[in-house]
């Protein structure tokens, strides 16, 4: 498990209000990967988790994104 | 810093992999002989990213495609991450390097009001009451009471019934001696006195006020917030939050909404959305008339809303269980809230009204002709008699059958027929609720059905309608039974 995580945590494990750096997009399927990349979710970018319920809302760069847990679980981050 | 290490290691790997890709791209470039109007490097990079269109094009044009394909495969094998991921990351690195040299960022402060509005619309505790307020003022007050009430009363009562209809009737009767032809054009069921009157006096003001509200909501950036609030509920009915857009549009016009449901990602979601739109989402015209019908009776209105909501969730839940396919994902950009621009709002409202008007007027005329034909040949009476036992089972007078028959031609036509019936005092509270609920569930209109066939195929469309008709009547009978057994008086 640690190997997959590369020392990071999943975005879904952050608390609301926490900031982190995106480490990796760990999507199993191409489609999800493409979706996230199209939204500008890329390694090295700063992410702030704004809320977790009813959907996750997070800010990457100047973009705010709402996503469900299934999608957000693909984003591996390093807490700042 | 130790904690940054994994990120640096990751980036280093990606960069090293990219050298591999760079080499492959150059090899492919050398093999491309045809002219693509794009640079050969772009074509090579697109091939490495498995772009379907470009791959098909190159396969068709290059005799060395096999060699190219081998390079792509080899590169893919040698990189631990998907090539598209690696290429996007490298591109992003370059973009950032360029941006750093030419752009200076100044931290723009959001005003505290903006931030406050922003957060209260996406938090469930405050977001749901706000949603209800939007519905109450936007739909009920503005569309239901102002559009369907004030404006309709004015155009219908003051313009059509006082001036246009008597004048048309007079002209037609004095110019055309032949009675059936008189009835085709004017009098009770004529093209002008019924078809055009319904279209212009009843439906247009309701649809117009709805599209105005919808455009304001759309332009303010509120819809994605709605989507993220309802995502969890929508997941239980096999849809995701994104489907809130066609579903909300359905309250304006189900035909348009069925067309818009093609923006949903999977076929499964499109079928579920089409079914629910046809079954449980009343269009604005229908909604307007039903709101006007039940407006004096808050309990009746409450039962109607609750019943339709229940059917919506229950059928959605069942369909999601029955239909095979993957779970839909939800992701969406949430733009900041902004003040709607008046010019945008008006333009969108007018183009939607125009679309609607051009689409419905021929349907209304067709419906008038069919009704005229049914009346003339006696077919209509036979059908009304045939549905009469069903009406009786629902506790409705036989005359209500006419409204349901109208509903075949246009949903709103049926509701408008019901409105006439209520005005004459033929229905009590329970009957009005039962009739409204059944009519809401009842068949999609001709226009919606034809779009269903076009978008989902004839088999799916027929299956949906084949389910809806008996289901609507059974629900009506059940609702009537429950209300009368409980002795509810409304």
């Amino acid at each position: 498990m640690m190997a997959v995580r590369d020392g990071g945590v999943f975005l879904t494990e952050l608390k609301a209000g926490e900031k982190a750096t995106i480490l990796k997009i760990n999507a199993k399927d191409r489609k999800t990967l493409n979706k996230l990349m199209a939204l500008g979710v890329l390694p090295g970018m700063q992410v702030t988790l704004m809320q977790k319920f009813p959907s996750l809302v997070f800010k990457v760069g100047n973009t705010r994104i709402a996503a469900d847990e299934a999608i957000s679980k693909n984003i591996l981050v390093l807490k700042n | 810093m130790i904690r940054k290490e994994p990120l640096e290691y990751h980036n280093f790997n990606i960069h090293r992999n990219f050298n591999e890709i760079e080499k492959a791209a150059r090899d492919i470039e050398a093999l491309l002989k045809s002219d693509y109007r794009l640079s050969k490097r772009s074509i090579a990079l697109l091939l490495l990213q498995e772009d379907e269109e470009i791959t098909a094009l190159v396969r068709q044009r290059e005799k060395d495609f096999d060699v190219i394909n081998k390079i792509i495969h080899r590169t893919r094998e040698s990189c631990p991450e998907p090539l598209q991921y690696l290429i996007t990351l490298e591109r992003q690195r370059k973009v950032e390097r360029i941006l750093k040299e030419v752009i200076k960022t100044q931290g723009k402060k959001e005003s505290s009001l903006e931030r406050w509005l922003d957060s209260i619309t996406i938090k469930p505790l405050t977001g749901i009451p706000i949603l209800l307020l939007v519905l109450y003022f936007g739909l009920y007050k503005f569309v239901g009471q102002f559009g369907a009430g004030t404006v309709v009363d004015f155009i219908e009562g003051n313009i059509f019934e006082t001036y246009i209809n008597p004048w048309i009737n007079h002209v037609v009767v004095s110019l055309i001696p032949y009675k059936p032809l008189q009835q085709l054009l004017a009098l009770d069921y004529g093209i002008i006195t019924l078809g055009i009157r319904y279209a212009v006096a009843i439906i247009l003001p309701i649809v117009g006020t709805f599209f105005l509200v919808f455009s304001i909501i759309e332009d303010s950036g509120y819809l994605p917030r709605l989507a993220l609030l309802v995502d969890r509920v929508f997941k239980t009915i096999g849809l995701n939050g994104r489907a809130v857009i066609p579903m909300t549009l359905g309250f304006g016009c189900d035909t348009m909404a069925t067309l818009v449901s093609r923006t949903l990602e999977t076929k499964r979601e499109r079928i579920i959305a089409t079914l629910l739109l046809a079954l449980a989402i009343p269009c604005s015209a229908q909604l307007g008339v039903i709101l006007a019908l039940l407006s004096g009776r808050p309990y009746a209105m409450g039962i109607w809303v609750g019943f339709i909501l229940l059917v919506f969730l229950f059928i959605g839940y069942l369909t999601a269980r029955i239909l095979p396919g993957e779970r839909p994902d939800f992701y969406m950009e949430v733009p900041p809230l902004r003040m709607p621009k008046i010019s945008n709002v008006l333009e969108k409202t007018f183009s939607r009204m125009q679309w609607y008007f051009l689409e419905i007027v021929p349907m209304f005329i067709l419906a008038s002709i069919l009704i005229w034909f049914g009346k003339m040949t006696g077919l209509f009476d036979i059908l009304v008699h045939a549905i009469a036992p069903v009406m009786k089972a629902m506790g409705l007078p036989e005359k209500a059958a006419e409204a349901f028959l109208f509903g075949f031609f246009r949903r709103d036509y049926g509701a408008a027929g019901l409105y006439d019936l209520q005005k004459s005092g033929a229905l009590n509270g329970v009957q009005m609720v039962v009739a409204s609920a059944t009519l809401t569930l009842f068949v999609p209109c001709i226009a919606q059905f034809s779009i269903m066939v076009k978008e989902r195929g004839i088999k799916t469309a027929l299956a949906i309608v084949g389910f809806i008709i008996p289901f609507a009547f059974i629900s009506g009978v059940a609702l009537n039974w429950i209300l009368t057994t409980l002795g509810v008086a409304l």
Side-chain angles (χ1 to χ4, degrees):
Chain A
M1 198 61 200
M2 280 315 279
V4 179
R5 290 182 161 224
D6 278 344
V9 295
F10 294 116
L11 180 64
T12 46
E13 292 171 286
L14 293 183
K15 288 191 207 77
E18 275 191 300
K19 287 180 203 279
T21 309
I22 299 177
L23 175 61
K24 189 178 176 180
I25 306 189
N26 207 20
K28 283 141 252 113
D29 62 310
R30 248 177 93 87
K31 255 173 66 190
T32 312
L33 181 65
N34 287 349
K35 280 173 200 165
L36 286 169
M37 289 197 308
L39 287 168
V41 177
L42 295 166
M45 305 216 35
Q46 289 293 307
V47 57
T48 312
L49 186 67
M50 300 173 73
Q51 79 176 46
K52 294 179 87 163
F53 187 85
S55 304
L56 278 97
V57 179
F58 51 93
K59 204 169 171 175
V60 174
N62 288 318
T63 313
R64 201 161 23 157
I65 296 161
D68 59 17
E69 281 190 22
I71 290 258
S72 312
K73 267 215 176 99
N74 295 297
I75 304 170
L76 213 51
V77 300
L78 276 179
K79 282 197 213 180
N80 285 8
Chain B
M1 252 173 54
I2 296 169
R3 290 176 65 195
K4 288 282 180 213
E5 249 174 31
L7 186 63
E8 275 158 25
Y9 179 68
H10 182 72
N11 284 345
F12 170 72
N13 269 343
I14 281 173
H15 196 61
R16 198 181 54 190
N17 285 326
F18 192 73
N19 289 339
E20 201 86 20
I21 295 173
E22 187 69 59
K23 210 168 96 9
R26 253 181 255 138
D27 291 347
I28 294 173
E29 265 181 76
L31 287 164
L32 293 171
K33 300 286 180 256
S34 180
D35 178 28
Y36 295 93
R37 282 201 262 171
L38 286 175
S39 74
K40 292 202 168 145
R41 181 175 166 82
S42 313
I43 298 287
L45 285 175
L46 282 166
L47 283 171
L48 285 163
Q49 289 173 85
E50 294 170 74
D51 184 281
E52 283 169 24
E53 237 174 275
I54 296 293
T55 308
L57 193 72
V58 174
R59 174 176 294 141
Q60 200 183 8
R61 289 204 193 170
E62 302 291 342
K63 62 178 193 321
D64 285 337
F65 183 73
D66 285 341
V67 187
I68 295 174
N69 214 9
K70 257 184 215 134
I71 299 176
I72 296 171
H73 268 283
R74 204 182 53 218
T75 319
R76 205 184 302 155
E77 298 287 298
S78 71
C79 293
E81 310 281 351
L83 298 182
Q84 178 158 31
Y85 181 61
L86 298 170
I87 292 171
T88 307
L89 291 184
E90 184 66 18
R91 188 181 292 131
Q92 182 70 17
R93 256 167 50 103
K94 293 233 157 93
V95 167
E96 261 166 28
R97 201 184 316 146
I98 296 170
L99 285 184
K100 226 179 241 161
E101 282 168 24
V102 294
I103 284 187
K104 234 197 242 158
T105 32
Q106 235 173 0
K108 183 203 155 225
K109 272 237 155 157
E110 275 178 295
S111 78
S112 59
L113 177 70
E114 262 173 59
R115 209 171 325 152
W116 180 71
L117 268 178
D118 226 51
S119 78
I120 60 167
T121 48
I122 56 176
K123 295 254 181 322
L125 218 60
T126 41
I128 290 166
I130 290 174
L131 166 63
L132 295 177
L133 281 180
V134 170
L135 286 179
Y136 178 75
F137 285 104
L139 271 189
Y140 181 72
K141 280 285 180 194
F142 190 67
V143 180
Q145 291 194 337
F146 176 71
T150 318
V151 184
V152 168
D153 283 348
F154 176 76
I155 302 183
E156 147 124 284
N158 292 8
I159 300 180
F160 269 85
E161 277 173 8
T162 320
Y163 298 102
I164 301 182
N165 279 6
W167 183 74
I168 294 279
N169 286 346
H170 176 75
V171 171
V172 167
V173 171
S174 57
L175 284 183
I176 305 169
Y178 189 51
K179 183 114 203 227
L181 210 55
Q182 287 174 5
Q183 279 172 333
L184 177 62
L185 291 174
L187 305 175
D188 280 351
Y189 294 98
I191 291 174
I192 302 167
T193 44
L194 183 79
I196 305 278
R197 175 170 67 93
Y198 271 7
V200 176
I202 301 186
I203 311 307
L204 196 66
I206 301 175
V207 173
T209 42
F210 176 85
F211 284 151
L212 184 65
V213 171
F214 189 81
S215 304
I216 291 172
I217 292 175
E218 194 183 27
D219 217 48
S220 67
Y222 182 67
L223 285 176
R225 283 147 217 276
L226 197 54
L228 79 88
L229 281 179
V230 302
D231 180 55
R232 268 170 205 267
V233 179
F234 270 39
K235 286 269 171 62
T236 63
I237 57 172
L239 297 171
N240 75 57
R242 209 172 259 268
V244 85
I245 293 170
M247 287 300 165
T248 322
L249 195 57
F251 287 111
C253 172
D254 283 306
T255 309
M256 195 184 241
T258 307
L259 204 69
V260 171
S261 72
R262 66 161 74 151
T263 57
L264 299 176
E265 240 179 301
T266 62
K267 193 178 164 208
R268 179 171 182 262
E269 284 171 89
R270 292 195 286 265
I271 292 177
I272 296 176
T274 307
L275 168 66
L276 290 176
L277 282 170
L279 180 71
I281 306 283
C283 67
S284 62
Q286 210 179 16
L287 199 64
V289 181
I290 288 173
L291 289 181
L293 203 65
L294 302 177
S295 65
R297 304 166 194 252
Y299 291 114
M301 180 102 70
I303 291 175
W304 175 75
V305 171
F307 186 70
I308 299 297
L309 195 65
L310 199 72
V311 169
F312 177 83
L313 292 175
F314 178 65
I315 295 300
Y317 178 79
L318 281 188
T319 323
R321 289 291 154 290
I322 293 164
L323 272 186
E326 52 187 315
R327 255 173 61 107
D329 291 325
F330 171 65
Y331 63 99
M332 210 172 195
E333 195 182 328
V334 185
L337 282 176
R338 27 173 198 232
M339 204 58 191
K341 256 180 95 176
I342 294 175
S343 59
N344 278 353
V345 169
L346 290 182
E347 205 182 303
K348 278 192 255 190
T349 308
F350 283 126
S351 67
R352 285 191 174 120
M353 278 173 80
Q354 193 187 19
W355 180 88
Y356 187 81
F357 203 68
L358 291 177
E359 186 250 334
I360 61 156
V361 170
M363 290 293 168
F364 271 56
I365 293 173
L366 180 71
S368 295
I369 296 173
L370 288 174
I371 291 173
W372 169 81
F373 179 80
K375 282 260 162 193
M376 285 276 111
T377 53
L379 197 67
F380 211 76
D381 290 331
I382 297 171
L383 283 173
V384 168
H385 273 292
I387 326 177
V390 186
M391 294 296 129
K392 227 179 131 201
M394 293 194 295
L396 297 178
E398 198 176 307
K399 265 204 87 159
E402 248 176 69
F404 283 88
L405 248 159
F406 277 21
F408 260 124
F409 301 107
R410 292 283 313 178
R411 282 182 160 205
D412 31 43
Y413 232 90
L418 213 58
Y419 189 69
D420 280 347
L421 208 61
Q422 184 253 1
K423 265 208 296 208
S424 67
L427 298 174
N428 65 32
V430 172
Q431 287 174 321
M432 275 180 352
V433 172
V434 172
S436 306
T438 315
L439 206 67
T440 309
L441 300 178
F442 196 48
V443 287
C445 66
I446 291 180
Q448 190 184 354
F449 181 69
S450 64
I451 294 292
M452 280 162 68
V453 172
K454 208 175 123 225
E455 295 284 311
R456 300 290 102 81
I458 182 83
K459 258 204 247 157
T460 310
L462 281 178
I464 289 177
V465 173
F467 164 74
I468 287 177
I469 296 178
F471 180 82
F473 284 120
I474 292 167
S475 305
V477 172
L479 184 61
N480 179 52
W481 184 79
I482 294 168
L483 293 178
T484 41
T485 307
L486 293 177
V488 178
L490 297 167

